[in-house]
Amino acid sequence: MSIILAEYSDFPPLSNTHPTDYYFKLTTGGPTSPPFSTRDPVNPASLFEYFLENSNNRFVLGPALLGNVQLGPTPSNDISAEQQFADVLRLFYDESKVNVLVGGDINEDGQVGPDEQCVLIVRNITGAWPLNRVNNPVTFALQPRDETLVTRCAGVGPTTPFYQIAHEMSHSLGTVDLYDSGVLPPNANNMLLTLMGAYSFTSDDQGTVHLDIWHKLALGWAEPRIFDLSVHGETHVDTTADGAVLLWHPTREAREYFLIERRGPALPGRKYDASFPDDGVLIWRVQGGMPTHLGAPYLTPGGPGVWHVGQKTPLLIWNDGDLTRVQISVTEADDGKLHVAWHSPVTLRKDAVGPFGPFVKQLQRSLNDLVPGDPIAIDGVFGPITESRVREFQRRAGITDDGVVEMQTWGAITKLAPRPGDAGTPTLRKGSQGVAVMRLQQLLSERTPDLAPIAVDGDFGPITDGRVREFQRRTKITVDGLVGPQTWGSLFHDPALQQGSQGPAVMRLQRLLNERTPDLAPIAVDGDFGPITDGRVREFQRRTNITVDGLVGPQTWEALTRQDSTL
């Protein structure tokens, strides 16, 4: 591994931000002890230890060669990152470091590739964004043979946090982004759930989380135990190499399956998962070669929720909307280990008690979320009040209102949180009724927080019609009161943003604005839609012939995401 400190003459030296030994500690330091810190004291996390821990001691970053190259002014924008990296590599290896190239050519084919040499280039460009590129080929006349260096280079800046440095280095091993990919659900940024999720580019901190189990499996760092989803079962889940669980089904085989992993910020042997936001298990659905996190409590695709002890999922749902007829329960055994069980949901009816208590509690929580009215007690007792609320839900969902909660009712509860393209997003209009209308009403209240919430009663009446039309007006959709693919898409996809908005969606907006206006100084990716972000939105709208109003609705989002980002 080579760490190159590349300093351009028109930016302050890297030593103004960190002492030189910071970078050596950050790459090959160890053993280290949390809490990790950037300064006071200088105790950064270690890439060497990070990948060793993630790989269950199967992957070791080789000895690091640390050096510095002095460069002229920052290259112009018409010089690609691939060529910029090639120029840095030539300068670095020309300065009597050619032995690294000869020794690094393991298969002696005259080319040093990504599987033979990792390169981290730290550039002193203020506000530089992290990236990973394959450098343009650089050939050196050496003995006993010429060597051509073509490898993946991770490029970072003076204030790039450890999270993003490890993120870009992992790309050299073959990882893929699990945010804003164009394949994952909208707003699935997976922040702090996996190293491949979203994170600040310039926070200069030492936040650390592990790679997700799907990446570890792909890299050969873990072997989840495999079980047939169609055969009910139970097993433990832990952080060992074979501690995760893979659930497959004979009708789907390798095309689609579920992965369950144990995660937490303070688990034994996991000091590099310290920034993980919760303690429990993650459930991933893998389809089309990409994992989607299914967040608690409704298996929300791309949702951030972690599954805790005592929770039970709704029925697992395949990507095409079909139900698996199986749910997952998370429990804790006497030895403290977490267990997961996959099984058909039990049938519940009035006076269900004893072992049915946890299932009744799950039902009661769902009813409180899905049926209007005063909340019912979460006591695990299926009494007259719970039965009445079940019947009300069944009537609204178009199910026989017999008060018995069996597969059909559990399925309706699961499908109350559909995604665009699922069977639960039919075209709706004034007069429509049922579960899909209830979900519509929930989303309308969420997307118009400045207005009074509307009743979630499953009845598409005049008030819902008015709110649909107001949402369509705000998001520049044809105002017709018809909830079709475009309106559903806007409700589920990126929310309308304007000055004063905050959160992950704003961070995504800021990142895209920087990518789409590379000739302008980068704006801060801080999740705060302030005057600077507003000005950049208006400039982008002006350039793309969109109405210049500072409102980021479907038209502006579409223009921002029209081309895939490679960052």
Side-chain angles (χ1 to χ4, degrees):
M1 177 182 178
S2 295
I3 309 104
I4 306 173
L5 308 183
E7 299 192 311
Y8 294 95
S9 61
D10 50 349
F11 282 95
L14 289 166
S15 59
N16 281 18
T17 306
H18 300 293
T20 300
D21 68 338
Y22 167 82
Y23 297 102
F24 189 80
K25 290 180 178 179
L26 183 142
T27 50
T28 61
T32 56
S33 299
F36 302 121
S37 55
T38 303
R39 53 184 60 84
D40 301 325
V42 177
N43 182 43
S46 161
L47 287 171
F48 172 82
E49 285 194 339
Y50 176 85
F51 286 107
L52 193 66
E53 182 178 295
N54 267 262
S55 68
N56 291 297
N57 298 318
R58 299 177 184 184
F59 177 79
V60 180
L61 280 175
L65 176 64
L66 176 65
N68 179 284
V69 294
Q70 298 298 317
L71 304 160
T74 312
S76 60
N77 289 335
D78 59 348
I79 299 178
S80 67
E82 291 83 354
Q83 185 56 48
Q84 292 180 37
F85 286 169
D87 294 339
V88 169
L89 291 170
R90 179 173 294 283
L91 280 172
F92 181 70
Y93 287 110
D94 269 348
E95 297 179 359
S96 70
K97 301 177 180 68
V98 294
N99 61 310
V100 175
L101 294 177
V102 176
D105 186 3
I106 297 172
N107 59 7
E108 299 182 352
D109 64 351
Q111 179 167 306
V112 179
D115 58 341
E116 296 169 314
Q117 180 69 230
C118 290
V119 176
L120 173 65
I121 299 177
V122 184
R123 301 182 292 174
N124 66 325
I125 301 174
T126 303
W129 284 24
L131 72 166
N132 189 293
R133 297 287 189 274
V134 176
N135 65 276
N136 289 344
V138 184
T139 301
F140 300 84
L142 303 173
Q143 294 296 328
R145 60 186 173 272
D146 290 353
E147 292 288 351
T148 298
L149 178 60
V150 182
T151 190
R152 297 197 68 96
C153 300
V156 302
T159 58
T160 303
F162 177 86
Y163 189 116
Q164 291 289 3
I165 296 174
H167 178 113
E168 297 303 336
M169 286 294 294
S170 76
H171 278 321
S172 297
L173 306 178
T175 61
V176 297
D177 287 334
L178 293 185
Y179 67 99
D180 295 346
S181 67
V183 177
L184 298 174
N187 295 325
N189 60 46
N190 291 312
M191 183 176 287
L192 297 179
L193 299 185
T194 169
L195 179 70
M196 306 320 295
Y199 198 78
S200 168
F201 287 168
T202 57
S203 56
D204 201 18
D205 61 40
Q206 300 296 316
T208 58
V209 296
H210 266 229
L211 281 165
D212 53 275
I213 186 59
W214 177 77
H215 270 105
K216 292 181 180 181
L217 172 61
L219 291 168
W221 295 351
E223 297 84 30
R225 287 162 291 130
I226 301 173
F227 297 90
D228 186 341
L229 186 64
S230 65
V231 179
H232 298 175
E234 177 179 349
T235 188
H236 68 277
V237 58
D238 59 39
T239 60
T240 59
D242 64 352
V245 173
L246 188 155
L247 297 176
W248 73 287
H249 195 278
T251 62
R252 304 277 170 153
E253 297 180 327
R255 298 188 306 276
E256 189 171 8
Y257 55 89
F258 298 94
L259 284 168
I260 306 174
E261 64 172 323
R262 176 77 169 96
R263 297 291 294 278
L267 299 177
R270 283 286 186 97
K271 67 181 179 182
Y272 282 93
D273 217 7
S275 298
F276 190 80
D278 209 334
D279 190 286
V281 302
L282 298 183
I283 300 175
W284 302 85
R285 183 179 62 212
V286 181
Q287 191 270 338
M290 287 290 285
T292 297
H293 179 243
L294 303 177
Y298 288 115
L299 292 170
T300 305
V306 177
W307 296 92
H308 301 143
V309 170
Q311 283 189 302
K312 296 172 177 61
T313 73
L315 296 180
L316 293 179
I317 189 168
W318 298 111
N319 188 61
D320 60 11
D322 286 347
L323 295 173
T324 65
R325 305 178 70 86
V326 172
Q327 66 178 163
I328 293 175
S329 303
V330 184
T331 59
E332 185 174 9
D334 293 339
D335 60 3
K337 284 188 176 183
L338 296 197
H339 280 228
V340 292
W342 50 101
H343 49 81
S344 296
V346 298
T347 297
L348 299 177
R349 51 174 49 88
K350 187 179 176 183
D351 298 328
V353 292
F356 297 108
F359 295 93
V360 175
K361 287 184 178 181
Q362 177 195 5
L363 170 66
Q364 291 167 327
R365 292 189 186 96
S366 297
L367 292 171
N368 280 339
D369 287 340
L370 308 180
V371 181
D374 293 334
I376 60 177
I378 311 299
D379 56 11
V381 177
F382 199 133
I385 295 176
T386 298
E387 182 190 39
S388 175
R389 194 62 58 88
V390 167
R391 291 177 181 272
E392 176 66 17
F393 173 78
Q394 290 172 326
R395 284 193 293 271
R396 295 176 184 276
I399 300 170
T400 302
D401 59 337
D402 56 7
V404 178
V405 183
E406 37 55 72
M407 187 67 71
Q408 189 179 23
T409 302
W410 283 119
I413 290 172
T414 296
K415 285 202 168 184
L416 186 60
R419 280 3 235 177
D422 285 350
T425 54
T427 298
L428 301 176
R429 55 176 56 83
K430 190 174 180 180
S432 297
Q433 292 182 321
V435 171
V437 176
M438 295 171 67
R439 183 55 178 159
L440 168 67
Q441 292 165 327
Q442 287 179 324
L443 287 168
L444 286 169
S445 292
E446 293 171 7
R447 295 293 185 256
T448 55
D450 56 314
L451 303 178
I454 60 176
V456 181
D457 57 10
D459 184 3
F460 196 135
I463 295 176
T464 300
D465 179 72
R467 186 61 58 88
V468 167
R469 293 174 184 271
E470 174 62 16
F471 175 77
Q472 290 173 327
R473 184 188 66 77
R474 293 185 178 194
T475 52
K476 301 183 180 178
I477 299 171
T478 300
V479 180
D480 57 8
L482 186 69
V483 184
Q486 189 178 19
T487 302
W488 277 121
S490 294
L491 284 164
F492 280 112
H493 284 65
D494 300 290
L497 301 175
Q498 58 191 343
Q499 189 165 341
S501 299
Q502 294 181 320
V506 177
M507 291 180 67
R508 179 174 186 243
L509 167 67
Q510 292 165 327
R511 186 176 68 79
L512 287 169
L513 286 169
N514 283 332
E515 292 177 5
R516 299 297 179 252
T517 56
D519 56 314
L520 303 178
I523 61 175
V525 182
D526 56 10
D528 185 3
F529 196 137
I532 295 176
T533 300
D534 179 73
R536 186 60 57 85
V537 167
R538 293 173 185 271
E539 172 61 18
F540 176 78
Q541 290 173 327
R542 183 187 64 77
R543 296 184 179 193
T544 51
N545 297 315
I546 298 171
T547 302
V548 180
D549 56 8
L551 177 66
V552 184
Q555 192 176 11
T556 303
W557 277 119
E558 193 278 332
L560 283 164
T561 58
R562 189 173 297 138
Q563 297 174 337
D564 290 337
S565 169
T566 57
L567 205 63

